[in-house]
Amino acid sequence: MARPRSDSPTLFVLEDIRPDFSIERRAIKRGQWPVAGLDEAGRGPLAGPVVAAAVILDPKRIPKGLDDSKRLSAEERENLFAAILKKALAVSFASCSAETIDRTDIRKASLEAMRRAACSLAITPAFAITDGLDVPQGLPCPGEAFVKGDQRSHSIAAASIVAKVMRDRMMGMCASRHARYGFEFHMGYATERHRAAIEAEGACARLHRMTFSPFRIDAEIIVQEEIVLADAD
């Protein structure tokens, strides 16, 4: 018996698309230029900052091969990173630390990092396009969010590459100071190796996200102990 056809074909079409400059061209036709693409890297890890980037591409010098950073190898990302820095009109990045993530939450920290990146561009954009569902508040211009934007827009894809490369480099620097955790291999994600290191070494102060599992319970205990001590004082 033949397998029935899916009644949700658009879900799979989105997975196969590749970014282009059509979203940006529509904005240009509306008189909204320059257009900045915004994206972040590092929402899911147990450790390290969330990093965002903002990129204004030159329509006449778009690097070939731009794509969602998750669909590229590390070597491809590094090569495209260099091409973006060479050819783009403006590039910036910003981050929010693990402490900021714990103090607010990962969604708010991601949006704040994107806001900082957009505001740091050497050229003020007239329009910003972001990956996901949310447009950060406090941008220097109007903005619009696009689901799977890093697979639909060259500018957002470029931002995703810059954010990912910069975050990986930051985690590589963390690895040089905290060699026992192996950050250079997993970049803070919850791999088996990382979880084993946490079990053996405990949390790394100011680097691990204490509001993320498996730290959340321990963090709640620490807070309770601090309250008790404060009451005793």
Side-chain angles (χ1 to χ4, degrees), residues 115-116 118-119 135-141:
R115 184 197 68 81
R116 293 178 185 179
C119 292
V135 176
Q137 295 184 355
L139 293 178
C141 61

Side-chain angles (χ1 to χ4, degrees), residues 187-230:
M187 305 304 170
Y189 283 88
T191 64
E192 184 177 347
R193 176 173 184 161
H194 189 191
R195 287 183 176 275
I198 293 169
E199 184 70 23
E201 306 293 341
C204 186
R206 303 183 66 185
L207 191 55
H208 278 111
R209 302 174 182 179
M210 300 305 296
T211 51
F212 280 41
S213 178
F215 306 110
R216 188 180 301 116
I217 295 176
D218 293 336
E220 290 173 355
I221 292 172
I222 291 170
V223 170
Q224 290 173 2
E225 289 177 349
E226 289 176 346
I227 292 172
V228 170
L229 290 172

Side-chain angles (χ1 to χ4, degrees), residues 12-48:
F12 299 98
V13 170
L14 281 174
E15 293 294 335
D16 294 332
I17 63 174
R18 289 292 182 269
D20 58 31
F21 208 65
S22 59
I23 294 174
E24 292 88 337
R25 289 195 186 95
R26 289 197 294 271
I28 293 171
K29 288 182 179 179
R30 297 193 300 266
Q32 293 176 304
W33 177 255
V35 178
L38 311 178
D39 202 3
E40 50 72 29
R43 286 182 67 116
L46 303 180

Side-chain angles (χ1 to χ4, degrees), residues 73-88:
S73 68
E75 181 179 1
E76 288 172 330
R77 287 194 297 267
E78 286 287 348
N79 290 337
L80 283 166
F81 177 81
I84 293 165
L85 294 187
K86 181 178 180 180
K87 297 182 178 182

